[in-house]
Amino acid sequence: MAILVTGGAGYIGSHTVAELLDRGEEVVVLDSLVTGHRESLLGGKLYVGDLRDKELLAKLFAENEIEAVIHFAASSLVGESMKDPVKYYDNNVYGTQCLLEGMQKAGVNKIVFSSTAATYGEPEKVPIEETDRTQPSNVYGETKLTMERMMSWFDKVLGIKYVALRYFNAAGAHASGKIGEDHRPESHLIPLVLQTALKQRESIAVFGDDYPTKDGTCIRDYIHVSDLADAHVRAVTYLRGGSGSSVFNLGNGLGFSVKEVIETAKEVTGLDIPVAIQERRAGDPAVLVASSDKARSVLGWNPSRADLKEIIRSAWNWHSSHPQGYGEA
Ligand code: NAD
């Protein structure tokens, strides 16, 4: 039996496919390649197409014996979601509806969902726990919370079990150096910093250096993409064991400040990284860190690449050997 990975040609999806293949799993990928890259797949059977194409989904489920789904396919740019909410409801919410409908028809009853810690909005306390209030402050986070709620009802009514994984920033690249992060446009700090080191950008913008943190810059949570891949595979094992639906945060301890990320990147690359201090951005909390106590105790998840230097070193290994990512767009 195979595991279907939607969005498997994307950044986190491709690392999860690699992890599944390493563990001897059979993998089927559905990806429209709208932001993903065919070259990022180290194996598996790829269907190029859209989640919202119900005929294609029916064909995929008919042609393969799917045991469980790992669902990454989504639009995930916060800024874009605040300009084009229709795109986010259509791709994320309606796309998930089509997927769940396809699963129901095919009798597939396990799904691991790549959600986001943006479901919490501005936290009341840190580290954030699963039981904390969810009040998304952008359309992207709201659609992800809606997708989780949809899954909860599909469980109650149809018995489709789900695990939702909520986390902040994926970072780093695969140990093989063959796959890594290539988002276009890029919005994540670590690749932006490394692109600055490579002189592809003039400077890295730091939004505010007067926050009440140890060095005045915002503290964020970064998790190595292969540790995230491991968590997704563990969640499949958890559902295979007959456990009920659940939500888990994935976090990396205390988090790292923006300045710490830049200083560590300078150390790792040995290159100059010019910084441009700018005004704070509206709605940027000082600290965003998720607690992973529950994932550690229930899933046995123990991120083994949690060190910032190791995360940046693996990202640098990818960016310095693939300065154009997977190539021309
Ligand atoms: P990505 O854009 O690299 O991957 C998404 C993949 O889904 C792409 O390959 C894209 O082509 C595909 N896709 C999108 N819409 C599709 C559709 N309708 N049909 C078929 N394929 C479609 O993004 P990523 O950074 O790998 O993120 C993956 C998931 O993890 C997303 O759902 C995102 O919300 C979530 N997430 C990411 C981060 C992060 O830091 N990158 C943090 C928290 C949550």
Side-chain angles (χ1 to χ4, degrees), residues 1-4 61 66-71 99-100 103-104 107-113 151 158-163 235-243 245:
M1 291 188 92
I3 295 184
L4 167 63
F61 281 115
I66 303 293
E67 180 197 1
V69 177
I70 307 182
H71 183 30
L99 176 63
L100 291 169
M103 288 174 64
Q104 182 207 356
V108 179
N109 66 356
K110 298 176 198 67
I111 180 166
V112 172
F113 172 47
M151 286 180 203
L158 300 171
I160 297 179
K161 301 291 168 206
Y162 74 97
V163 164
V236 172
T237 307
Y238 169 84
L239 290 176
R240 269 182 180 154
S243 299
S245 297

Side-chain angles (χ1 to χ4, degrees), residues 186-264:
E186 190 50 78
S187 64
H188 298 90
L189 181 66
I190 291 176
L192 290 175
V193 166
L194 297 180
Q195 287 169 358
T196 310
L198 285 168
K199 305 214 176 320
Q200 294 172 341
R201 295 173 190 272
E202 246 172 56
S203 61
I204 180 75
V206 173
F207 298 100
D209 62 353
D210 56 354
Y211 282 94
T213 57
K214 55 189 171 185
D215 62 22
T217 62
C218 286
I219 292 182
R220 294 291 181 265
D221 205 340
Y222 302 88
I223 308 177
H224 195 287
V225 65
S226 296
D227 283 333
L228 285 177
D230 174 52
H232 284 78
V233 179
R234 280 174 188 274
V236 172
T237 307
Y238 169 84
L239 290 176
R240 269 182 180 154
S243 299
S245 297
S246 200
V247 175
F248 296 95
N249 286 345
L250 304 172
N252 189 7
L254 300 172
F256 304 105
S257 78
V258 172
K259 245 186 206 164
E260 251 177 313
V261 169
I262 297 170
E263 289 309 315
T264 309

Side-chain angles (χ1 to χ4, degrees), residues 42-61:
L42 298 181
K45 179 174 169 189
L46 172 65
Y47 286 76
V48 178
D50 199 288
L51 210 52
R52 294 161 293 185
D53 179 345
K54 292 187 184 183
E55 272 175 36
L56 174 65
L57 268 180
K59 180 171 165 336
L60 185 156
F61 281 115

Side-chain angles (χ1 to χ4, degrees), residues 11-12 31-32 34-36 51 72 91 114 140 144 168 170 183:
Y11 171 44
I12 309 171
D31 200 301
S32 62
V34 63
T35 55
L51 210 52
F72 290 105
N91 200 31
S114 182
Y140 164 62
K144 287 270 168 165
F168 285 109
H183 287 119

Side-chain angles (χ1 to χ4, degrees), residues 20-190:
L20 288 165
L21 294 170
D22 273 356
R23 298 191 195 191
E25 298 281 359
E26 198 185 318
V27 180
V28 174
V29 170
L30 172 64
D31 200 301
S32 62
L33 302 179
V34 63
T35 55
H37 310 273
R38 193 184 286 273
E39 304 83 343
S40 72
L41 283 173
L42 298 181
K45 179 174 169 189
L46 172 65
Y47 286 76
V48 178
D50 199 288
L51 210 52
R52 294 161 293 185
D53 179 345
K54 292 187 184 183
E55 272 175 36
L56 174 65
L57 268 180
K59 180 171 165 336
L60 185 156
F61 281 115
E63 288 177 355
N64 302 278
E65 215 183 322
I66 303 293
E67 180 197 1
V69 177
I70 307 182
H71 183 30
F72 290 105
S75 302
S76 55
L77 293 170
V78 168
E80 184 187 57
S81 79
M82 296 301 279
K83 293 192 184 107
D84 190 358
V86 173
K87 174 174 176 180
Y88 279 71
Y89 277 89
D90 190 33
N91 200 31
N92 295 359
V93 177
Y94 177 62
T96 299
Q97 181 187 321
C98 294
L99 176 63
L100 291 169
E101 184 185 335
M103 288 174 64
Q104 182 207 356
K105 287 185 176 151
V108 179
N109 66 356
K110 298 176 198 67
I111 180 166
V112 172
F113 172 47
S114 182
S115 185
T116 172
T119 47
Y120 294 107
E122 187 151 348
E124 290 173 310
K125 61 165 183 52
V126 285
I128 307 169
E129 291 172 295
E130 290 82 353
T131 46
D132 289 355
R133 181 196 64 183
T134 48
Q135 198 171 301
S137 48
N138 53 63
V139 172
Y140 164 62
E142 183 67 40
T143 59
K144 287 270 168 165
L145 189 58
T146 307
M147 293 150 88
E148 286 190 17
R149 290 196 174 130
M150 195 189 279
M151 286 180 203
S152 164
W153 284 110
F154 273 67
D155 176 11
K156 284 192 186 84
V157 179
L158 300 171
I160 297 179
K161 301 291 168 206
Y162 74 97
V163 164
L165 299 175
R166 296 176 177 163
Y167 50 95
F168 285 109
N169 305 290
H174 196 257
S176 67
K178 289 182 188 160
I179 58 174
E181 187 164 12
D182 182 1
H183 287 119
R184 302 173 195 194
E186 190 50 78
S187 64
H188 298 90
L189 181 66
I190 291 176

